[in-house]
Amino acid sequence: MTTEIAIIGDRFMLSETFEEHILAACGDSVSVRRMDYDWPDAPLEQGYAGSRIEGIQEFQGDPDEVVAHIGAARIAVLHHAPLSGAMMEALPDLRLVAVSRGGPVNIDMAAARARGITVVNTPGRNASAVAEFTIGGIIAELRNLARGHESLRAGDYRTDLYRADVTGDELCDMTVGIIGYGEIGKRVVTLLRAFGCRIMVYDPYVQLTAEDMRAGVEMVSFDSLLAESDIVSLHPRVTAETTGMMNATTFAAMKRGSTLINTARGPLVDYDALIAALQDGHLRGAMLETFPVEPVPLDSPLLTMPNVTLTPHIAGASLRTVRVAASKAADEVRRWLAGEPPLNPC
């Protein structure tokens, strides 16, 4: 007897890639049906300030369509598709949900626990991609890479970018503060060590690795990190504690002339306060990959500010991310079928 698996992917996490890894891990003990949504060509619905689907923060897909596709399947493998308590009520056979994300923000976890549905995720799936992107973003902002590119394309050969009052400093002479020492934060620290900069970390819930301690990485208080860092890079999850952690007060506490990097999540930052700190010169610049509203509204001041480098939430976009996430999800499915405990329960 085969176990039914319903897969819902998109144009990044392709359902066929999930299927390939699941069949390789589970063989003919499963039967698979799949569908794909249009993300990233169509944006996610974000509900950090209130979602139209209760218990869910970020998703793409019509609930009725998702329920119809999952049907009598015992296992669902999802990327951004939503799964609310009401949807679970209509899916009495569902026992395992594998979400190929770092956090199950598209799943009503309270409802899943109440119904005895096991939910697993794929932490660290894009850690390498986001860490590399963060380093690239730091260098791009400090050394005017994006501004030089934009000016040349516009026919302006900006020799002023060589001026001492315009050009940036080098990482080897700077202090970089990392907020959040999870999978991504740890990888960013590892990559930064090669530049010879001073590295400080703030995360009240974890400890430095022995390797980082030997390399001179410092675990410090939040206040010390803000006061001493030339660059502050954000890598925590969005929680009640971290939402709005970067605000008018914390920007004022940052070292004058410092730079903010956000390749994590928009809700971590009060963007109105950030804009004010950039406009009055307290902050030298910012590299921003995520925003409170995505796509960024066309009237946002960020789009015209000269001391900001912007990217459209693409830090995790690598083919390795797809392979790692599909492999982790497939292994969780195999373990569940074999009666083994999950590796990454939510």
Side-chain angles (χ1 to χ4, degrees), residues 4 17 20 53 64 135 270 287:
E4 289 185 59
T17 304
E20 175 187 343
I53 302 181
D64 292 337
I135 300 300
D270 178 337
M287 185 276 158

Side-chain angles (χ1 to χ4, degrees), residues 129-253:
V130 177
E132 289 183 1
F133 193 94
T134 299
I135 300 300
I138 290 172
I139 295 173
E141 176 56 30
L142 292 181
R143 305 301 301 279
N144 292 314
L145 295 186
R147 285 180 276 280
H149 170 78
E150 289 172 355
S151 64
L152 263 175
R153 286 182 63 116
D156 181 11
Y157 195 86
R158 286 190 59 184
T159 56
D160 67 304
L161 294 178
Y162 223 111
R163 285 173 40 167
D165 60 341
V166 176
T167 192
D169 213 329
E170 297 179 25
L171 271 173
C172 62
D173 288 330
M174 304 181 89
T175 297
V176 182
I178 304 298
I179 298 176
Y181 193 62
E183 292 281 349
I184 295 171
K186 288 175 183 176
R187 287 177 181 261
V188 172
V189 168
T190 298
L191 295 176
L192 279 173
R193 281 164 36 198
F195 290 88
C197 50
R198 180 189 179 197
I199 304 170
M200 301 192 300
V201 172
Y202 168 73
D203 191 322
Y205 301 104
V206 296
Q207 295 181 333
L208 293 174
T209 66
E211 184 178 2
D212 281 336
M213 287 191 288
R214 286 194 295 270
V217 177
E218 305 167 48
M219 184 68 80
V220 299
S221 70
F222 186 51
D223 290 344
S224 294
L225 185 143
L226 294 178
E228 298 180 42
S229 295
D230 300 293
I231 302 163
V232 173
S233 188
L234 305 180
H235 303 285
R237 292 195 181 282
V238 175
T239 65
E241 182 181 8
T242 62
T243 296
M245 68 185 304
M246 302 307 298
N247 51 50
T249 300
T250 49
F251 289 135

